Amino acid sequence: MISLSVSETASPATPHAPGADTTIRVEDVSVTYRTSLERKPTFKSTLLRLGRRERVVREVEALKNVSLEVHQGSVLGIVGANGAGKSTLVRTMAGILPPSVGRVEVHGRVSTLLALGVGFNRDLSGRENVILGGLAAGLSREQLHAKYDEIVEFAELEDFMDMPMRTYSSGMYGRLGFSVAVNMDPDILLIDEALSVGDAKFRKKSFEKMRELCAQARTIVLVSHALGSIEQLCDTAIWMHKGELRMQSDPESIVHAYTKFLDVGEDAFTMEDL
Amino acid sequence: MTTEIETTARDIVPPGEGEERHVEWEGEQHVYEPHRVGIPPLGPYVRELWRRREFAFELSRTTLRAQHFETAFGQLWLVLNPLLLAFVYFLLVDILRHGHRPHGFFAHLVGGIFVYYFFSGAVRESVKSVTGGGRLVLNTAFPRILLPLSTVITAFKRFVPTFFIYIPIHLISGLPVTLADLWVIPIVLTIAMTAAGVSMFVAALQVYFRDVKSFLPYVLRIWMYASPILYYANEIPNHWNWLLKANPIGSPLAAWSEVLQKGHAPPPVDMLVGLAWGAGLLVTGALFFMSRERDFAVRL
C-alpha cells in the first residue's frame, strides 16, 4: 500500500471534471447474511432449544443485484425507506461487509462515518479512541499526530479529549465522529445519516467542509433521510427499495419520485431539514 | 474482510496514462468479492494485518494504561495475584504431600503458575475482544484478528514482570543457572502460539454464544489442574501419561520445569509436541476466526 505521503507532497487536489473516472464500481452485488433473532445468543439457549426445531436464525437479503458507478469528485445521495439496504450498500463499499455475489471496486482511501459514530470504547478517552480508530483504519501514527489537532479543533472539543467518552453528550459524539471522518484526507467519504450532527452552527460548518472536499475532487456517498440535504449537496442520487436499486437519476428527480412514492407530498421534509 | 490488492494505477490503466492517474488515486485500490469457503484471500489479509500491527500494540498499551500498568504499584498489583495463588497452592500441595516436597518445588510451582497465567490471561481477555470491539467492528474495515492478537500482547507484557519476581525465588531455591535456561524463550513462544490460537477461537465463538465467557473460567481451571504445575510431569501415573501429550500446553510446561529445575535442555519430544500443538492451533484458530469474520458486523 502506498502511503498517504504521496498525497501530502504531491497534492492530488487538482480537480478533475466530474464523471471523468469511476471511483466506486458496484457490479451486480447481492448481500445476504444470517442474523440471529436472539438479542444475546447463548450456548445454553441453543442446548435447551435442541429438538424443538425452532428457527432463531433468519436469512436477510439486504441487497439484490445492485450495480452502480460513482465518479470521482461527485456526490452520490442514497434515499430509501428503513431497511431498504442503504446502510448495507455503504458498508459493502467500505469493505466491512463483503458481497455474497458480485464485485465491488473502490479506488482510493475510504473514510467512513456510519450511523453509530466513532468511539468503540466509551471508557477510553476521546484521544485514545481517535488514535485507535485511526490506526485501525490504516493510518500511520505520524499521519494521526499530524491530523490530530485539526480534528480536535474542527470538533471544538479541545477541553474534552482526555475525558472518557462516556461523559460526552450525543452532540459531542457526533461532532468528533464527523471531524475524524472528514479530516483523515479521504479520497472517498461514506456518510450514513450523520448530517443531523450537532447544533445549527456545526451543521453549517459540516456542509461547508463537505463542499470543500467536493472541490478537491473527493468523492462522497451520502445516505440521508433529509431530502433537502440530498438536493443541496448531491450531483446524482439513487433510490433503494427493499434491497434493489429502484431508480438512478439527478437528485431532484429522485427526491420527487421518492416523495411521491411516500405519498406525502413535496413539502414533507423531515425535521432535520429545518 | 478487506480484499486489498496492492497495485499502482499503472496496473489498471493503459501505459502512458499511468503516471497521471497514479497521483489521482494515490495508488490505492480495493476489490471486494465473495469469499471462497468463507475465507478471505490470505495474501492481502496478512499484508493488511502487518500494515495495521500498530493498532494491536496501541490497543494493548491503552488497556494496560487503564490498569495503571505503568506505575510501580500497578505492576505490583498484577504480580500479587498469581503470587498469592502460588502460596495457596503451595500450602495445599504441601499438606497433600505430607511435607515431602522435592528440592525446588516452590520454584517449580511459582514458575508454572506464572507461565500458565500468561496463557490463561490471554485467553480470558480475548474472549470479549470482538464483542467488546462494538462500533469499531461495525464501522471500520480492518482485519479483526488484530483484536484477539492484541490481548495476547497484553498478556505477554503482564507476564514479563512476573518473570522478574521468579528470578529471586529461583536463586534462593538454589536451582542451577546455566546457558540452557535460554530454552525458556522458545518454550514461552510455543505457549504464546497456543494462546493466540485458542484466543482467536474463543473470541469468534463468543460472537455466537455469549455465554462462552461464563464457561471459560471453569475450563481454564480444569486445564490448569491437568497441566504439570501443581505436580511434576514425571510424577504423572503411567495410565495418565496420554493426558500430558493431549494437553497443548502440557509438554511445553513439562519442558519449562525441566529447564528451570535441572538446568539442562528439555527432551526434544516435549519441544516438538509443544510446537506441533502451537502451530496447529495457531493455524486452525486463525482460519476459524477468519472464516467467521464476515459475520461479525451483522452479529454484534
Side-chain angles (χ1 to χ4, degrees):
Chain A
M1 193 53 45
I2 289 168
S3 81
L4 259 177
S5 56
V6 175
S7 77
E8 279 158 4
T9 51
S11 171
T14 37
H16 287 255
D21 293 288
T22 303
T23 319
I24 305 173
R25 180 178 290 128
V26 178
E27 283 170 31
D28 212 16
V29 164
S30 296
V31 174
T32 48
Y33 53 81
R34 288 152 62 85
T35 181
S36 173
L37 299 180
E38 293 172 295
R39 207 177 69 81
K40 275 211 177 342
T42 59
F43 186 62
K44 187 180 150 204
S45 65
T46 310
L47 265 188
L48 297 180
R49 229 178 18 246
L50 265 187
R52 269 211 270 155
R53 289 176 171 272
E54 213 174 298
R55 277 187 65 83
V56 291
V57 176
R58 196 166 60 101
E59 193 143 285
V60 181
E61 273 192 299
L63 288 183
K64 293 171 210 160
N65 305 319
V66 175
S67 298
L68 72 115
E69 286 189 2
V70 186
H71 298 291
Q72 193 186 1
S74 69
V75 183
L76 173 77
I78 306 179
V79 299
N82 289 331
K86 307 183 295 292
S87 300
T88 308
L89 181 59
V90 174
R91 278 170 154 200
T92 311
M93 289 172 178
I96 296 165
L97 204 56
S100 311
V101 183
R103 179 185 156 92
V104 179
E105 224 177 88
V106 178
H107 302 285
R109 222 169 52 75
V110 175
S111 175
T112 54
L113 177 54
L114 306 186
L116 299 145
V118 281
F120 77 106
N121 190 335
R122 293 166 57 86
D123 291 328
L124 299 181
S125 69
R127 180 191 303 271
E128 288 166 333
N129 271 303
V130 169
I131 301 275
L132 283 171
L135 288 173
L139 280 111
S140 74
R141 211 174 268 281
E142 295 72 46
Q143 286 166 354
L144 275 167
H145 281 301
K147 293 269 161 239
Y148 184 77
D149 290 335
E150 215 176 309
I151 291 171
V152 176
E153 197 188 326
F154 189 86
E156 298 163 19
L157 287 173
E158 286 88 347
D159 300 335
F160 297 95
M161 290 312 285
D162 288 313
M163 282 163 61
M165 279 191 81
R166 66 182 129 78
T167 61
Y168 284 27
S169 72
S170 56
M172 287 155 76
Y173 247 105
R175 263 154 44 199
L176 187 59
F178 186 86
S179 180
V180 169
V182 296
N183 283 307
M184 294 242 180
D185 256 346
D187 301 313
I188 301 159
L189 182 61
L190 305 175
I191 303 179
D192 187 354
E193 300 285 13
L195 286 178
S196 51
V197 158
D199 47 27
K201 186 172 147 240
F202 191 79
R203 260 164 56 79
K204 189 163 167 282
K205 198 165 148 186
S206 52
F207 261 66
E208 275 160 16
K209 185 72 190 180
M210 288 209 291
R211 287 238 167 80
E212 189 188 313
L213 288 174
C214 300
Q216 297 170 347
R218 317 290 170 116
T219 309
I220 299 178
V221 175
L222 178 68
V223 173
S224 184
H225 285 298
L227 301 178
S229 322
I230 298 271
E231 278 184 320
Q232 278 176 43
L233 281 167
C234 301
D235 312 322
T236 55
I238 58 169
W239 169 14
M240 298 288 297
H241 187 65
K242 291 193 174 156
E244 282 165 3
L245 182 65
R246 183 125 172 190
M247 194 178 159
Q248 179 167 17
S249 184
D250 57 286
E252 288 75 25
S253 319
I254 292 283
V255 168
H256 183 73
Y258 180 58
T259 38
K260 205 167 166 190
F261 168 79
L262 290 176
D263 201 24
V264 285
E266 280 280 17
D267 45 81
F269 286 3
T270 57
M271 288 304 285
E272 292 169 59
D273 264 337
L274 287 175
Chain B
M1 252 326 300
T2 322
T3 311
E4 198 156 315
I5 293 177
E6 234 180 286
T7 168
T8 60
R10 243 167 289 240
D11 299 333
I12 35 178
V13 293
E17 283 178 83
E19 217 51 64
E20 184 199 344
R21 300 212 179 177
H22 176 83
V23 178
E24 207 172 284
W25 288 341
E26 292 165 18
E28 196 161 328
Q29 185 196 4
H30 311 256
V31 174
Y32 308 113
E33 281 181 322
H35 294 166
R36 231 169 272 133
V37 248
I39 293 181
L42 291 176
Y45 190 96
V46 172
R47 264 201 303 277
E48 277 298 281
L49 190 69
W50 180 247
R51 194 161 79 94
R52 299 186 192 193
R53 62 191 183 281
E54 260 309 301
F55 168 73
F57 287 103
E58 183 66 30
L59 182 58
S60 155
R61 234 189 319 268
T62 311
T63 313
L64 287 172
R65 204 183 304 136
Q67 295 165 351
H68 305 290
F69 183 75
E70 73 279 15
T71 69
F73 277 107
Q75 295 219 1
L76 189 69
W77 194 252
L78 288 175
V79 170
L80 213 56
N81 193 358
L83 198 62
L84 287 174
L85 199 69
F87 279 120
V88 171
Y89 280 121
F90 180 71
L91 202 68
L92 178 78
V93 176
D94 202 40
I95 292 169
L96 289 177
R97 284 173 180 268
H98 308 289
H100 300 303
R101 57 172 180 274
H103 172 70
F105 180 73
F106 186 65
H108 162 81
L109 187 66
V110 172
I113 284 179
F114 282 179
V115 78
Y116 186 77
Y117 238 65
F118 161 48
F119 172 78
S120 69
V123 175
R124 215 183 357 244
E125 290 292 317
S126 73
V127 74
K128 292 168 291 182
S129 61
V130 174
T131 49
R135 288 178 170 182
L136 196 68
V137 174
L138 293 174
N139 288 349
T140 317
F142 69 102
R144 275 77 164 110
I145 229 168
L146 286 167
L147 295 168
L149 284 181
S150 162
T151 67
V152 178
I153 297 169
T154 308
F156 182 76
K157 285 190 192 158
R158 295 169 70 159
F159 166 68
V160 173
T162 64
F163 193 79
F164 286 103
I165 298 287
Y166 172 79
I167 292 172
I169 297 172
H170 184 94
L171 296 177
I172 291 166
S173 304
L175 293 171
V177 179
T178 65
L179 214 57
D181 286 340
L182 287 177
W183 274 97
V184 298
I185 295 167
I187 293 169
V188 169
L189 220 60
T190 58
I191 292 175
M193 283 161 75
T194 308
V198 176
S199 295
M200 292 186 268
F201 183 76
V202 295
L205 209 60
Q206 170 76 5
V207 177
Y208 295 91
F209 303 112
R210 301 296 166 96
D211 48 358
V212 168
K213 193 178 73 189
S214 338
F215 291 126
L216 206 60
Y218 298 102
V219 174
L220 288 172
R221 184 55 58 89
I222 294 167
W223 201 331
M224 178 178 157
Y225 294 152
S227 306
I229 295 167
L230 304 184
Y231 45 84
Y232 288 101
N234 59 21
E235 291 175 314
I236 298 173
N238 273 335
H239 64 279
W240 280 110
N241 250 332
W242 59 271
L243 190 67
L244 195 66
K245 299 270 182 293
N247 177 356
I249 55 167
S251 301
L253 279 168
W256 169 265
S257 172
E258 183 85 10
V259 167
L260 290 175
Q261 293 276 307
K262 306 217 176 98
H264 60 65
V269 61
D270 278 350
M271 287 309 294
L272 288 174
V273 171
L275 189 67
W277 268 117
L281 283 171
L282 186 67
V283 170
T284 46
L287 288 179
F288 175 73
F289 188 96
M290 285 155 75
S291 72
R292 308 316 322 168
E293 204 176 296
R294 179 183 184 271
D295 259 12
F296 295 167
V298 291
R299 289 265 184 176
L300 283 184

